[in-house]
Amino acid sequence: NEHNSCDAVIRTDRLVEDFIRVMADSGTALSDAVIDELRANDSERTNSSRHKGAAFYYDEESLALVAERDAWLIDRYGFTAPA
């Protein structure tokens, strides 16, 4: 796709697991201890916040606009409309 020139993507909603996968795919070995520490720190987040449902942030018109403008991104990475 002309919009995508990267070899890997790390999504923020699954940051640790994507990071571990990308490191392995790139040939960079992470020790089991490092992987365990990454996962432990991920499960102990202290600065996470709760967000309101998508309806608070997006109306139908804005959802349609995002779906149209970012269709390639949505298709490429399997995003779905927020519930």
Side-chain angles (χ1 to χ4, degrees):
N1 185 317
E2 73 275 5
H3 299 288
N4 189 359
S5 61
C6 61
D7 294 325
V9 171
I10 297 175
R11 290 174 49 164
T12 57
D13 59 330
R14 53 183 189 222
L15 180 67
V16 169
E17 293 307 315
D18 279 1
F19 176 75
I20 292 167
R21 176 187 48 79
V22 167
M23 295 302 287
D25 291 350
S26 73
T28 304
L30 297 175
S31 69
D32 290 341
V34 168
I35 291 171
D36 290 345
E37 185 173 345
L38 288 168
R39 288 179 173 150
N41 288 337
D42 190 45
S43 66
E44 297 174 5
R45 287 186 213 176
T46 57
N47 194 22
S48 60
S49 60
R50 298 221 179 264
H51 299 282
K52 297 179 181 182
F56 179 81
Y57 303 102
Y58 298 99
D59 60 15
E60 289 300 319
E61 183 179 350
S62 59
L63 282 171
L65 180 64
V66 170
E68 177 186 333
R69 289 191 175 177
D70 292 329
W72 71 271
L73 184 67
I74 293 164
D75 292 341
R76 170 69 173 87
Y77 297 106
F79 291 118
T80 57

